[in-house]
């Protein structure tokens, strides 16, 4: 039993475990040629399989971001037609009311909590500028 306890190691998932990676405080990196994933995305780049070379910490080490070399970054992959169609289908599922109105709103609906749009849920009228007309299959017969 004592041998099993010696094999257990208390690991911190936020600690990279490699002391060779420099850790900088917030706004103290002061290096050019390094960027976070978000900064790379704004430049139209992606890490491209490279390992992070440094880390920025903020909030006393509770939050951090990895830094990557810009010169090793690769260009972002363009959106394909299949990816764009899949994204539109997923967004339509989040924005379309499954209730009797069947409207597609310009924002995501609270489907997990309410199950439909506010108008179908409790009768609160929706602003016509927030949705598009429903398809003919969802319209109620007058």
């Amino acid at each position: 039993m004592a041998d099993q306890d010696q094999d257990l190691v208390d690991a911190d998932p936020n600690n990279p475990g490699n002391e060779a990676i420099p850790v900088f405080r917030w706004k103290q990196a002061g290096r050019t040629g390094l960027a976070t994933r978000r900064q790379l995305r704004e430049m139209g780049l992606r890490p491209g399989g490279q390992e992070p070379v440094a880390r920025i910490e903020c909030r006393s080490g509770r939050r951090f971001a990895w830094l990557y070399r810009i010169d090793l970054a690769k260009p972002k992959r363009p959106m394909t037609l299949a990816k764009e169609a899949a994204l539109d289908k997923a967004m339509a599922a989040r924005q379309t009311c499954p209730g009797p109105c069947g409207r597609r709103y310009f924002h995501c609906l609270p489907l997990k909590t309410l199950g439909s749009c506010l108008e179908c849920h409790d009768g609160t009228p929706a602003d016509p500028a927030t949705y598009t007309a429903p398809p003919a299959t969802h319209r109620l017969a007058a």
Side-chain angles (χ1 to χ4, degrees), residues 42-105:
E42 289 172 0
M43 291 184 248
L45 301 171
R46 61 185 170 96
Q50 66 171 307
E51 294 294 321
V53 295
R55 186 168 104 160
I56 294 178
E57 288 185 347
C58 64
R59 298 188 183 183
S60 302
R62 288 179 285 167
R63 300 283 309 249
F64 66 90
W66 297 109
L67 292 172
Y68 299 92
R69 289 180 45 186
I70 296 174
D71 59 336
L72 296 178
K74 296 182 179 176
K76 255 194 317 191
R77 294 183 181 124
M79 179 77 76
T80 63
L81 288 175
K83 284 183 182 179
E84 193 170 346
L87 180 63
D88 187 50
K89 185 177 177 183
M91 288 306 295
R94 296 175 69 192
Q95 295 172 338
T96 305
C97 177
C101 73
R103 296 177 183 145
R104 181 168 179 181
Y105 288 80

Side-chain angles (χ1 to χ4, degrees), residues 5-26:
D5 292 337
Q6 290 176 355
D7 293 339
L8 298 177
V9 177
D10 188 19
D12 183 10
N14 297 327
N15 187 3
N18 186 354
E19 300 301 326
I21 294 179
V23 178
F24 300 106
R25 292 179 55 202
W26 184 249

